[in-house]
Amino acid sequence: MARKEKPAKAAKEPGRLKQMWQVFQMTRRYDKTAVWWILLGFLGSIAVSVVLAILISGGSVFGMVLWIIAGVLAGILAAMIILGRKAEKAAYSQIAGQPGAVGAVFRSSLPRGWQGSEMPVNANAKTQDAVYRAVGRGGVILVGEGPRSRAARLVEDEKRKVNRVLPNVPVTVLFVGPDEDSIPLYKLTKSVRKVKSTLTKPEVLAIVNRLSSLGSSGLPIPKGVDPFKVKPQRAR
């Protein structure tokens, strides 16, 4: 009898340290200042802890050691935070300008309390400009993706629909695109977070149910790409 071939082992996912190294390499490739900011966060925290150790420990060796250890831990934490911020910006810079980029942000980075679809609610089949909608305590946010001169009409059409169904709900309009007065993709989450809360949770739920009747009139463009799964281009 022929031997049964053993099933090939599934490829193991990279470990946490390897993932962090890959994120660091991707970030360093797209942001040359990232390394210096990370070092500043790490060494700056240690420097502060050493100064505090000298001023507060009163000459106690044990106290100084504890302060220095605390400084190293704080430095690691600061470096990780800086790396995370820089990596997010670098990741979004790779997909900025692509159809579905706003959808990627809506899927992975919307602030807590906000709901949004990664698929557009309105779109232009020719230009691939699109409108995305998010609902939260601040009301309704419409995000136009593409040049403002083209996306503005789509946004206005969608705004009229929302106002017809929800006449008393505030509607905020944002644009993500190449224009100078548009929001860079990596700042979209921050801009959503800045919208002032005016509604209660039950009101938000009612709005979501009401807007579901509008449906989606956009063309079937691909879903938003995941910025954290985009393979960085090799440096030439």
Side-chain angles (χ1 to χ4, degrees), residues 113-181:
W114 285 89
Q115 301 179 45
S117 172
E118 62 182 303
M119 296 299 292
V121 294
N122 198 355
N124 185 302
K126 283 187 176 182
T127 63
Q128 292 192 318
D129 301 325
V131 182
Y132 294 81
R133 184 176 64 217
V135 180
R137 297 286 297 275
V140 178
I141 292 180
L142 298 177
V143 182
E145 181 182 74
R148 184 185 288 260
S149 58
R150 298 196 312 237
R153 188 169 183 177
L154 294 172
V155 172
E156 286 302 317
D157 290 343
E158 195 62 31
K159 187 177 180 180
R160 279 194 293 270
K161 294 179 185 176
V162 174
N163 287 334
R164 186 173 65 248
V165 178
L166 303 164
N168 299 319
V169 175
V171 179
T172 303
V173 174
L174 303 174
F175 286 92
V176 173
D179 306 283
E180 291 184 1
D181 54 349

Side-chain angles (χ1 to χ4, degrees), residues 41-60:
F42 179 70
L43 297 178
S45 299
I46 295 177
V48 171
S49 69
V50 170
V51 173
L52 291 175
I54 295 173
L55 296 176
I56 298 176
S57 64
S60 171

Side-chain angles (χ1 to χ4, degrees), residues 7-67:
K9 293 183 179 180
K12 291 184 178 179
E13 293 185 1
R16 182 64 59 85
L17 291 177
K18 188 174 182 180
Q19 288 178 347
M20 290 175 59
W21 177 251
Q22 290 174 347
V23 170
F24 172 75
Q25 291 291 348
M26 182 271 293
T27 305
R28 183 175 61 86
R29 185 175 292 111
Y30 283 88
D31 188 346
K32 303 300 183 183
T33 66
V35 176
W36 298 109
W37 280 108
I38 292 171
L39 285 175
L40 180 62
F42 179 70
L43 297 178
S45 299
I46 295 177
V48 171
S49 69
V50 170
V51 173
L52 291 175
I54 295 173
L55 296 176
I56 298 176
S57 64
S60 171
V61 176
F62 181 72
M64 293 185 69
V65 171
L66 288 180
W67 273 106

